[in-house]
Amino acid sequence: MSSPVGTLLRQWRQRRRRSQLDLALAAELSARHLSFVETGRANPSPAVLGRLCAELDVPLRERNALYLAAGFAPVHTERPLDDLGAVRAAVEAILTGHEPNPAVAVNAHWDLLAGNRAMARFLTGIPRQLREPRVNMLRATLHPDGLASQLRNHAHWREHTLRRVRRQLDRSADPELAGLLHELASYPAPEPDEEPVPDTGLVTPMLLGTEAGELSLLYAVTVFGSPRDVATDEIAIETFFPADEATRDILAALAATEQ
């Protein structure tokens, strides 16, 4: 049984560390009315609920849950990537245009939605059990049977990855992410004798040992602005860049062998 809409709103307000007065002013409500909504003495209109969700930066999937709890129909659609038209075209353009460097599109749980040929080279050796029902990029990276043995800065990357999941969990309150975080944290920790990560002065790279040589990769994340669809709200495109000339040359050479 789902919680009342007022309870859910209070939980989101507390998660965002906002006071009733601060949120009420931002959403153009009286603090008294917001208090009545949170305690169940008043039911928010769709317009009020929309303003509160916007101010609290509630993910679209959870906004639908709030509308349902308030007795309204969900506002935001959810379509698969293949049905997203211009969004799908934009994803493909970024992935293809990023060659010969690896890039992927993932959902809010880091499940692989699409990837370019450069990324496919890194995933070919992933065992079947890490591919079903679909590849999860964080699982594939940190699992002992995945890329973990190739990570030259395993301890750093494990810490960095767990921190990313915690931030996403704090933003979304997604129980599936809580399960993923628990699973990733349960993987064997790396040996304590890992060498210090080289200081690039800007960003700490992922160091990955491959048959073609050691790669040093930086990554950036792209998301869509002003999403109206749940899937679009949850898509992130992760693009990897060479952090040094040696990596640039290796990635270019690997791409040339397939032409």
Side-chain angles (χ1 to χ4, degrees):
M1 183 176 179
S2 62
S3 300
V5 64
T7 300
L8 295 175
L9 282 169
R10 183 174 65 253
Q11 291 171 351
W12 278 107
R13 178 176 62 77
Q14 293 172 342
R15 179 176 292 274
R16 297 293 187 252
R17 299 172 178 84
R18 303 280 295 272
S19 69
Q20 277 190 345
L21 179 59
D22 171 55
L23 178 59
L25 290 173
E28 301 179 350
L29 302 173
S30 69
R32 177 185 177 87
H33 183 55
L34 178 57
S35 176
F36 279 12
V37 168
E38 288 191 357
T39 58
R41 297 174 66 184
N43 202 49
S45 68
V48 166
L49 189 53
R51 294 203 302 271
L52 290 170
C53 285
E55 284 299 325
L56 292 171
D57 190 27
V58 178
L60 299 194
R61 183 180 300 279
E62 301 307 321
R63 293 190 195 191
N64 279 345
L66 284 163
Y67 280 104
L68 285 171
F72 306 121
V75 171
H76 302 286
T77 61
E78 181 178 6
R79 291 171 288 180
L81 180 59
D82 288 342
D83 294 341
L84 290 180
V87 170
R88 172 71 191 194
V91 169
E92 290 179 345
I94 294 173
L95 297 181
T96 303
H98 199 62
E99 298 279 3
N101 304 320
V104 293
V106 297
N107 63 17
H109 305 129
W110 282 276
D111 294 324
L112 179 65
L113 300 176
N116 63 7
R117 290 181 299 173
M119 181 57 76
R121 298 184 199 106
F122 294 100
L123 299 178
T124 53
I126 300 298
R128 177 177 296 180
Q129 67 266 25
L130 295 182
R131 295 176 176 273
E132 297 175 350
R134 63 169 68 181
V135 174
N136 179 278
M137 292 304 298
L138 302 189
R139 184 179 293 116
T141 301
L142 293 184
H143 194 282
D145 295 330
L147 299 177
S149 62
Q150 297 176 244
L151 286 172
R152 298 296 178 257
N153 56 343
H154 188 178
H156 166 81
W157 209 254
R158 179 178 185 272
E159 178 184 353
H160 169 72
T161 299
L162 295 179
R163 189 182 305 118
R164 289 186 71 192
V165 180
R166 290 190 190 101
R167 285 200 301 265
Q168 180 73 350
L169 177 59
D170 185 61
R171 177 181 182 270
S172 67
D174 187 336
E176 188 170 335
L177 271 181
L180 177 63
L181 177 62
H182 178 77
E183 177 187 342
L184 296 174
S186 72
Y187 294 162
E191 295 297 327
D193 59 352
E194 180 179 290
E195 295 182 3
V197 179
D199 183 6
T200 66
L202 295 173
V203 180
T204 301
M206 170 193 278
L207 303 179
L208 194 66
T210 72
E211 293 182 356
E214 185 164 296
L215 304 180
S216 181
L217 297 166
L218 312 177
Y219 80 93
V221 179
T222 301
V223 297
F224 287 96
S226 303
R228 293 289 298 167
D229 177 86
V230 172
T232 304
D233 185 43
E234 295 179 346
I235 290 174
I237 304 172
E238 301 200 348
T239 47
F240 290 80
F241 298 85
D244 54 36
E245 288 300 320
T247 299
R248 189 184 310 275
D249 293 342
I250 291 172
L251 292 174
L254 289 172
T257 62
E258 297 180 355
Q259 296 178 353

